[in-house]
Amino acid sequence: FWLADTPCTQAFWQAVTGRNPSHFSKGRDAPERPVESVSWNDVDEQFVKRFAQRPAWGTGDRLCLPSEEEWEHAARAGTRSAYWWGDAWDETRGNVDVTGERRWDDKEGTTPVHRYAPNPWGLFDVHGNVWEWCSSPWRPRRDAPEARPDADARVVRGGSWFSHPGLARAA
């Protein structure tokens, strides 16, 4: 499987869908911040399907979100620690709420997708900044035999600028 090296930026989302739903859409660096405030259905119907319909981009029907297992494999980049750099959070490597005091209307919010160093496989923001949607249905545990009865519930991984570092772990 292949993953983009960054979360989808606001500029890329807007190029594909023609709109920008992001809360943090103001400011000079907004186009390079990740798109947020999008549902799984928004991603599937408005982005993936529209992107796949553009023959010049050459994806056809092969474009999809990663499974939960694919996402974790890519985020870990061959490591076995909580984060690709080790087991303790390092605020110089990702954007999360370390203090527990961030609010939705804080001006900083998300950060441009190349602000922090990539993991060893060249992927940016796998820990923090924005939650990343996966194709997998949500289960109470990954080893649970069946998905939750509400098949519309999907997995998000990686944590966000608004979440505690523990929620940004690879596992």
Side-chain angles (χ1 to χ4, degrees):
F1 66 97
W2 174 88
L3 290 177
D5 64 341
T6 69
C8 182
T9 63
Q10 293 178 35
F12 192 34
W13 181 276
Q14 190 159 3
V16 173
T17 69
R19 65 182 196 88
N20 183 358
S22 296
H23 180 73
F24 300 105
S25 61
K26 304 285 188 260
R28 197 179 74 221
D29 65 357
E32 290 307 309
R33 290 178 181 228
V35 68
E36 29 72 23
S37 302
V38 294
S39 70
W40 189 89
N41 287 334
D42 292 338
V43 173
D44 186 50
E45 295 167 13
Q46 295 177 26
F47 186 83
V48 171
K49 287 180 180 163
R50 287 184 186 178
F51 189 92
Q53 290 171 353
R54 299 192 181 189
W57 291 347
T59 62
D61 63 355
R62 297 183 317 266
L63 184 66
C64 64
L65 291 170
S67 69
E68 183 176 13
E69 292 80 10
E70 289 169 336
W71 185 94
E72 183 175 329
H73 178 73
R76 287 185 182 280
T79 67
R80 298 191 54 78
S81 52
Y83 310 98
W84 62 261
W85 59 80
D87 287 322
W89 180 257
D90 178 349
E91 62 187 84
T92 68
R93 297 186 185 256
N95 183 20
V96 299
D97 184 3
V98 177
T99 65
E101 297 177 8
R102 288 187 174 173
R103 302 291 172 254
W104 181 247
D105 289 329
D106 287 350
K107 292 183 184 197
E108 180 63 25
T110 61
T111 56
V113 296
H114 290 110
R115 178 167 290 178
Y116 301 99
N119 74 7
W121 291 354
L123 302 176
F124 292 84
D125 289 343
V126 294
H127 303 294
N129 216 9
V130 290
W131 287 106
E132 298 184 32
W133 285 111
C134 295
S135 62
S136 305
W138 185 86
R139 299 171 289 191
R141 292 179 43 96
R142 278 192 14 197
D143 60 356
E146 294 183 24
R148 190 170 119 179
D150 176 4
D152 291 336
R154 298 292 176 161
V155 171
V156 289
R157 297 297 298 269
S160 78
W161 68 275
F162 198 64
S163 56
H164 183 272
L167 296 175
R169 298 175 322 120

